[in-house]
Amino acid sequence: MDKSGLRSGVALEGSSLMRMCATSGILALLVLAHAGVAQVRDEDDFLSLSELPETFPSDPPEPLPHFLFEPDEGYIVKNKPVNLYCKATPATQIYFKCNSEWVHQKDHTVEERVDENSGLVVREASIEITRQQVEELFGPEDYWCQCVAWSSAGTTKSRKAHVRIAYLKKSFEQEPLGKEVSLEQEVLLQCRPPEGIPAAEVEWLKNEEIIDPAEDRNFYITIDHNLIIKQARLSDTANYTCVAKNIVAKRRSTTATVIVYVNGGWSTWTEWSPCNSRCGRGFQKRTRSCTNPAPLNGGLPCDGQAIQKLPCTTLCTVDGVWTDWSKWSACGTECTQYRRRECSNPAPKNGGKDCEGLVLQSQNCTDGLCMQSSLFQKSTEPKEQSALGVPSAPSSDDVALYVGIVIAVIMCLFISAIVALFVYRKTHRDFDSDIIDTSALNGGFQSVNIKTARSADLLTAPPDLTNAAAMYRGPVYALHDVSDKIPMTSSPLLDPLPNLKIKVYNSSGLVTPPDDLGGDFSSKLSPKVTQSLLDNSDSLNLRSQSLARTRDPSCTAHGSFNSQGGHLIVPNSGVSLLVPAGAVPQGRVYEMHVTVHRKDNLRPPVEDIQTVLSPVVSCGPPGVLLTRPVILTIHHCADNVHEDWLIQLKNQLPMGEWEDVVVVGEENFTTPCYVQMDSEACHILTETLGTYCLVGQSIGKAAGKRLKLAIFGPVSCTTLDYHIRIYCLDDTQDALKEVLQMETQMGGKLLDEPKTLNFKDSTHNLRLSIHDVPHTHWKSKLIAKYQEIPFYQVWSGCQRTLHCTFTLERLSAATTEISCKLCVRQVEGEGQIFQISSTLEEEVQCIDTSLMDPASNITTLMGPNAFRIPLSIRHKLCGSLDAPQTRGNDWRMLAHKLNLDRYLNYFATKSSPTGVILDLWEAQHFPDGDLNELAAVLEEMGRHDSNLPSMTSEH
């Protein structure tokens, strides 16, 4: 506290002055002199007071007061005053000051005591603040009070304690609404408590019992006081109430009833029953029940039939019936005759019974005159011989056996002769082989002698198809495709056989000897054609892609620049190229361009822990000479980029590979460029034009990247299905512009304003769900309760137009309006809720889509008009600040004031550090850089020798 304040405090009361003076021996003597004590002393003794020392060696210096207790924040509830209390030691006086005015002593309650341990004086003070005092204060700041303590060493002030009138309004800003949800569906109950001071605390009641998410993890209370039931259970059917309370009052919202219903589900079908008809046409059936599960709480019954019937036909059984007996056979040698019958009148069918009885009957046909037993004995005796002693002729059965054996022997001999003939001809075949060098077999190839066509008939002779075994079986190279293949003459495949002659067919199918492909033929080709045949195919593809990009004005800007420099801007993409004055050598003109590449296959490959943070941007022409760095500005989607990220700048080589250029924060003298990271954009200072992209690696789980969420639907809907597309994009201007252009071509429109979501590196997926669909008019075709996009698919950033679709079906063609909510959130993270309300008829777009218009902005600025700082002023600033100053107010202080001093060595290596810093300032503040702010910075540096302040008035 200053001396004037101390005088004001002393003036409050004479007694306070007496107490302050009593602490010093000298001041005590002065007080006694004023009281008349000096009258009893002589004049010499009084004058001797001036000779006393100011301090005594026995009295140590008294320290500054320090507060043992500082006043706390206070709230006035109704008309009850607030008591503010403070305590300090050592303190000779202690008072309160409220709103910069001292509180009168009579309004204080002061107590004094001596600390037994330290022996120092401890003073306590308290005051009361009434509601009237707070209400009488007018001004932007709340009512506050501060405690001030004195000692002989000086004063000490406590922190400010604010006093506010506490209240809590009666009406909730948003109350929860009842819902009917299916089992395992996610439920969102929203609650915005009434306005109040202090801010109300919110808790949720389920059937009048407090919900604790720590005990039941199926509940989740968001930071904005909404209640989420992750998976609705039957036990979650209840009345939910949002309760808001502070020190003044407690408010209850209207009760929201959540009913968890279960739609009925069919059990499995039973087996088919047997056909109900034993013979002929009938039917069989199978059944199922609506018990898997049974419908509950108003859930829909099962859709379909509980019984299925199928027609069936059962084949009738037919029992077998005997035919009539046949006639008796002739009487045999055994004096027996036979007759038979068949079980075929009808035969048994389809499981019918067989006939019962004998199939064959026999009887004696001689009425007993023939002795069957003797005949049987004769048949078993040896065969009788002829009169000559030779056995009689064999029976007919024996003759048949002998004939069969003879035929088999003949067939075997015939087959053996055929096999022998075949083997003989095979071993004596002449193949007329023309192999002339068997040494080639050791190399794995067969050297052959191929007849060469006459040179005169070379282009007309058909290929020699008879020597197919001698043809080269490798790839055939046509002249028009040489650029995509390795030239045959340098192929390592042919190195082991330098003398091997090979047939090569050109694109027309004619034979061309390899000798004729060289010599005169190659000399006839121009050097340009020869070089084009040998160019790498990847470089050709990159050139063609670059040419294709230049035709799209929405992602490319180009212009001609000389030494005066200029600015290239890709419209509404956050991408630009600043060419400072003097970057292009004097007397030269460059046709320069900057392009945003949108194909996913052109993005750099990343590891699992990395993510792409910016679009791929190329600037050119590559390889040109620049005398000072140009500045390429690119938007990125990293959140809190200076704390949680390790940022790498990557460059694409001409062959297509990607290499690391610099790690932000690890630059050195060999680093070819410098990267200035802002909250939403990065500025790359480089003298090498090429293709660049930012890749990031999170340092911890707190790292996050910004996603832009955009919801689209059809402009008009002529079918019963209505498709809602949700895009999850990197939060860069070009990503949103690309989707807007693509949806316009598809006939889509924005259904709600795009929103930003902070996606954390927590490995949790992105969950999308749809809610509050009016079931009387619409039906969701989503089988699951939500959709999820895997974490890595979102985090890697390798897919630019990542999205998913919800399909709703109209129950009636007369329905023309749709209203629902879409919830997009990271599991156990932040989320966004979209309110969709749209008509199905074509209507005027009510959401800003200016990003779709590529011609809405200027793309090329050339010459001095491209820069905010005039060239003459820039030269003066460079001449003034480039030279080191003893006071330090040179280009280094300018970089510090502009927050560009992360790596000063980069600027120090340039011929004009100030010029590069001003170029970077131009890129950062394009297009509306405030010259007044730059003038104020120079004013703070104490550089009054620049004309920037006067120049700002002209602009």
Side-chain angles (χ1 to χ4, degrees):
M1 183 176 179
D2 54 13
K3 293 182 178 181
S4 62
L6 183 61
R7 295 193 195 99
S8 300
V10 173
L12 293 175
E13 191 67 35
S15 61
S16 62
L17 176 63
M18 296 296 293
R19 285 194 297 269
M20 291 177 62
C21 294
T23 59
S24 172
I26 299 174
L27 294 179
L29 293 175
L30 293 174
V31 172
L32 292 175
H34 278 283
V37 179
Q39 295 177 2
V40 300
R41 300 174 182 269
D42 56 16
E43 186 175 359
D44 293 337
D45 292 338
F46 178 77
L47 295 176
S48 65
L49 291 177
S50 60
E51 300 176 359
L52 292 176
E54 295 182 359
T55 58
F56 295 95
S58 60
D59 293 338
E62 192 173 18
L64 281 171
H66 71 275
F67 283 93
L68 303 177
F69 189 87
E70 296 186 78
D72 292 327
E73 301 283 327
Y75 296 96
I76 296 178
V77 180
K78 297 182 180 179
N79 293 321
K80 185 178 179 180
V82 171
N83 184 274
L84 298 181
Y85 168 79
C86 66
K87 179 166 65 174
T89 183
T92 57
Q93 292 296 328
I94 187 168
Y95 289 101
F96 273 95
K97 178 192 289 186
C98 294
N99 298 318
S100 302
E101 294 183 1
W102 291 100
V103 179
H104 200 276
Q105 184 184 10
K106 67 180 182 179
D107 296 328
H108 286 75
T109 301
V110 180
E111 296 182 3
E112 177 183 343
R113 63 182 178 85
V114 178
D115 188 272
E116 298 178 356
N117 297 324
S118 62
L120 298 176
V121 176
V122 178
R123 289 185 180 273
E124 305 174 4
S126 63
I127 61 172
E128 285 189 349
I129 306 299
T130 64
R131 184 186 185 99
Q132 181 179 359
Q133 290 176 277
V134 176
E135 289 178 343
E136 288 177 353
L137 176 66
F138 294 97
E141 193 175 9
D142 291 334
Y143 193 96
W144 61 269
C145 291
Q146 189 178 37
C147 192
V148 182
W150 285 270
S151 71
S152 61
T155 61
T156 303
K157 298 179 181 180
S158 71
R159 64 168 178 261
K160 290 182 179 181
H162 291 86
V163 180
R164 301 178 180 90
I165 298 176
Y167 69 93
L168 183 64
K169 292 185 177 180
K170 294 183 178 180
S171 301
F172 279 73
E173 295 185 6
Q174 184 175 9
E175 294 187 299
L177 301 177
K179 296 177 183 289
E180 293 184 1
V181 297
S182 61
L183 191 65
E184 296 186 352
Q185 181 180 340
E186 185 180 76
V187 183
L188 174 65
L189 297 178
Q190 295 179 309
C191 175
R192 294 177 60 186
E195 180 184 347
I197 294 180
E201 298 178 356
V202 174
E203 62 184 13
W204 283 87
L205 303 180
K206 175 184 176 183
N207 291 338
E208 302 303 322
E209 294 184 0
I210 298 177
I211 296 176
D212 186 2
E215 296 181 358
D216 191 345
R217 305 188 70 86
N218 194 41
F219 293 102
Y220 176 70
I221 299 177
T222 64
I223 57 175
D224 50 355
H225 311 303
N226 296 331
L227 175 65
I228 294 178
I229 305 175
K230 299 179 182 178
Q231 293 183 345
R233 305 160 296 191
L234 289 176
S235 60
D236 293 328
T237 299
N239 294 324
Y240 293 86
T241 308
C242 181
V243 178
K245 61 181 179 180
N246 64 3
I247 59 177
V248 178
K250 183 177 183 180
R251 313 291 187 203
R252 292 170 57 98
S253 70
T254 57
T255 299
T257 302
V258 175
I259 299 176
V260 181
Y261 62 84
V262 179
N263 294 328
W266 290 112
S267 64
T268 57
W269 288 102
T270 61
E271 297 292 334
W272 288 102
S273 65
C275 195
N276 65 341
S277 175
R278 294 186 178 181
C279 179
R281 295 180 62 84
F283 68 89
Q284 57 184 155
K285 67 178 181 178
R286 64 176 182 174
T287 61
R288 60 179 178 175
S289 59
C290 189
T291 57
N292 186 32
L296 291 175
N297 298 334
L300 298 175
C302 299
D303 186 14
Q305 297 178 347
I307 301 175
Q308 278 187 344
K309 292 184 179 181
L310 286 178
C312 58
T313 301
T314 304
L315 299 177
C316 300
T317 59
V318 178
D319 296 337
V321 179
W322 293 112
T323 60
D324 294 337
W325 287 103
S326 64
K327 294 181 180 182
W328 288 103
S329 65
C331 190
T333 57
E334 298 179 356
C335 303
T336 303
Q337 61 181 4
Y338 301 93
R339 70 173 180 178
R340 61 183 303 117
R341 59 181 176 175
E342 301 291 339
C343 186
S344 59
N345 188 28
K349 295 181 181 180
N350 307 322
K353 297 179 180 180
D354 287 332
C355 302
E356 295 181 358
L358 298 175
V359 177
L360 186 66
Q361 270 188 348
S362 63
Q363 67 178 6
N364 193 296
C365 57
T366 60
D367 294 331
L369 297 178
C370 180
M371 298 302 293
Q372 297 180 6
S373 60
S374 62
L375 290 174
F376 178 74
Q377 291 173 358
K378 286 182 180 181
S379 64
T380 59
E381 292 177 357
K383 294 180 181 180
E384 59 183 17
Q385 297 179 350
S386 64
L388 298 177
V390 180
S392 62
S395 65
S396 60
D397 294 336
D398 294 335
V399 173
L401 176 62
Y402 297 150
V403 171
I405 293 174
V406 171
I407 293 174
V409 172
I410 293 173
M411 291 297 296
C412 290
L413 293 175
F414 179 74
I415 294 174
S416 300
I418 293 175
V419 172
L421 179 62
F422 177 78
V423 173
Y424 174 79
R425 294 189 62 182
K426 184 174 181 66
T427 56
H428 291 76
R429 179 177 298 170
D430 185 7
F431 294 98
D432 296 329
S433 176
D434 55 357
I435 299 176
I436 63 175
D437 187 6
T438 58
S439 64
L441 297 175
N442 297 329
F445 291 88
Q446 183 175 353
S447 179
V448 295
N449 184 16
I450 301 176
K451 298 177 181 180
T452 307
R454 293 174 299 174
S455 60
D457 301 329
L458 180 62
L459 299 179
T460 59
D464 186 3
L465 301 180
T466 62
N467 290 331
M471 291 176 59
Y472 174 62
R473 296 297 182 182
V476 178
Y477 302 108
L479 291 178
H480 66 277
D481 201 26
V482 173
S483 62
D484 290 329
K485 307 293 188 297
I486 302 173
M488 185 183 302
T489 56
S490 62
S491 173
L493 180 64
L494 304 182
D495 289 343
L497 300 175
N499 297 324
L500 182 63
K501 297 181 180 180
I502 301 172
K503 286 184 179 179
V504 179
Y505 288 88
N506 59 19
S507 59
S508 63
L510 300 180
V511 182
T512 304
D515 294 340
D516 292 346
L517 293 177
D520 297 338
F521 178 78
S522 61
S523 64
K524 294 176 183 179
L525 294 176
S526 65
K528 293 183 179 179
V529 174
T530 304
Q531 182 62 35
S532 66
L533 294 178
L534 298 178
D535 281 345
N536 187 278
S537 61
D538 292 338
S539 62
L540 291 176
N541 290 336
L542 289 175
R543 292 176 189 173
S544 62
Q545 289 168 2
S546 178
L547 291 175
R549 290 298 184 192
T550 59
R551 298 171 187 166
D552 185 1
S554 66
C555 56
T556 299
H558 58 88
S560 300
F561 295 96
N562 55 19
S563 60
Q564 291 185 342
H567 213 146
L568 284 177
I569 308 102
V570 180
N572 302 312
S573 66
V575 176
S576 63
L577 179 67
L578 179 71
V579 183
V584 177
Q586 191 72 30
R588 295 191 181 183
V589 177
Y590 291 159
E591 182 69 25
M592 306 186 74
H593 67 269
V594 59
T595 301
V596 182
H597 297 285
R598 288 179 172 174
K599 287 188 177 180
D600 291 335
N601 59 1
L602 295 180
R603 297 167 79 81
V606 296
E607 301 175 0
D608 293 343
I609 58 176
Q610 292 180 325
T611 176
V612 178
L613 295 176
S614 75
V616 177
V617 178
S618 64
C619 54
V624 297
L625 175 64
L626 297 173
T627 56
R628 65 185 303 167
V630 297
I631 303 176
L632 179 63
T633 299
I634 309 175
H635 265 209
H636 66 79
C637 60
D639 186 61
N640 197 12
V641 68
H642 299 291
E643 300 290 337
D644 303 326
W645 287 95
L646 182 67
I647 305 295
Q648 291 178 322
L649 178 67
K650 288 183 175 287
N651 176 40
Q652 189 177 33
L653 300 176
M655 300 297 293
E657 298 88 355
W658 288 87
E659 68 171 357
D660 295 337
V661 179
V662 62
V663 177
V664 177
E666 300 180 7
E667 296 90 343
N668 52 46
F669 285 102
T670 63
T671 302
C673 61
Y674 173 80
V675 180
Q676 175 66 32
M677 297 296 300
D678 293 341
S679 60
E680 295 183 356
C682 72
H683 309 278
I684 304 168
L685 286 75
T686 180
E687 298 177 17
T688 304
L689 302 183
T691 302
Y692 295 97
C693 182
L694 277 185
V695 173
Q697 177 179 333
S698 62
I699 298 177
K701 297 296 183 181
K705 59 184 296 187
R706 299 187 307 275
L707 299 182
K708 182 67 72 176
L709 307 176
I711 298 185
F712 291 86
V715 173
S716 60
C717 184
T718 57
T719 63
L720 293 181
D721 288 346
Y722 187 82
H723 304 285
I724 302 175
R725 293 177 293 278
I726 304 100
Y727 289 85
C728 305
L729 314 168
D730 290 345
D731 187 17
T732 60
Q733 288 187 17
D734 184 72
L736 181 58
K737 182 178 74 170
E738 179 184 5
V739 170
L740 287 169
Q741 293 172 345
M742 182 177 64
E743 281 289 336
T744 302
Q745 296 174 358
M746 295 169 53
K749 66 176 181 180
L750 270 173
L751 300 180
D752 198 359
E753 291 286 351
K755 297 183 180 181
T756 302
L757 175 68
N758 194 9
F759 190 78
K760 295 291 186 181
D761 183 17
S762 61
T763 70
H764 290 298
N765 298 340
L766 188 67
R767 181 173 295 178
L768 304 95
S769 55
I770 190 166
H771 307 273
D772 298 345
V773 177
H775 297 290
T776 55
H777 302 290
W778 294 87
K779 180 177 71 174
S780 175
K781 286 192 173 183
L782 182 64
I783 299 177
K785 58 180 180 281
Y786 52 79
Q787 299 186 60
E788 280 193 356
I789 302 178
F791 168 81
Y792 177 74
Q793 198 170 358
V794 179
W795 185 257
S796 66
C798 291
Q799 186 173 348
R800 287 177 58 84
T801 57
L802 184 65
H803 71 281
C804 66
T805 302
F806 287 92
T807 302
L808 303 178
E809 181 183 0
R810 280 188 287 176
L811 302 181
S812 171
T815 302
T816 60
E817 294 184 354
I818 174 67
S819 63
C820 61
K821 290 182 180 179
L822 274 173
C823 180
V824 183
R825 68 181 182 91
Q826 187 178 15
V827 177
E828 298 186 10
E830 296 183 9
Q832 290 286 3
I833 297 177
F834 292 86
Q835 179 67 53
I836 298 176
S837 180
S838 178
T839 60
L840 307 189
E841 299 175 353
E842 187 170 357
E843 59 182 3
V844 179
Q845 180 71 264
C846 59
I847 299 175
D848 181 20
T849 57
S850 59
L851 290 175
M852 292 187 294
D853 184 8
S856 61
N857 294 82
I858 300 174
T859 61
T860 306
L861 296 173
M862 292 180 287
N865 292 331
F867 308 102
R868 292 285 295 160
I869 305 175
L871 190 59
S872 59
I873 301 299
R874 174 188 290 268
H875 288 329
K876 292 181 179 179
L877 289 175
C878 293
S880 174
L881 299 178
D882 282 345
Q885 301 291 327
T886 56
R887 295 173 54 194
N889 58 345
D890 50 18
W891 64 269
R892 292 168 295 181
M893 181 178 289
L894 177 64
H896 175 73
K897 293 288 185 180
L898 298 178
N899 295 321
L900 303 178
D901 56 344
R902 183 176 58 80
Y903 184 63
L904 290 176
N905 288 336
Y906 177 81
F907 302 104
T909 59
K910 304 305 174 186
S911 59
S912 175
T914 307
V916 179
I917 293 173
L918 295 178
D919 293 340
L920 185 52
W921 182 88
E922 293 266 10
Q924 280 184 308
H925 298 85
F926 178 81
D928 50 358
D930 190 355
L931 294 178
N932 291 319
E933 293 182 1
L934 185 58
V937 169
L938 295 171
E939 188 75 19
E940 290 179 9
M941 293 172 56
R943 299 310 298 254
H944 306 286
D945 51 349
S946 67
N947 295 330
L948 189 61
S950 61
M951 179 266 296
T952 56
S953 61
E954 299 175 1
H955 287 255

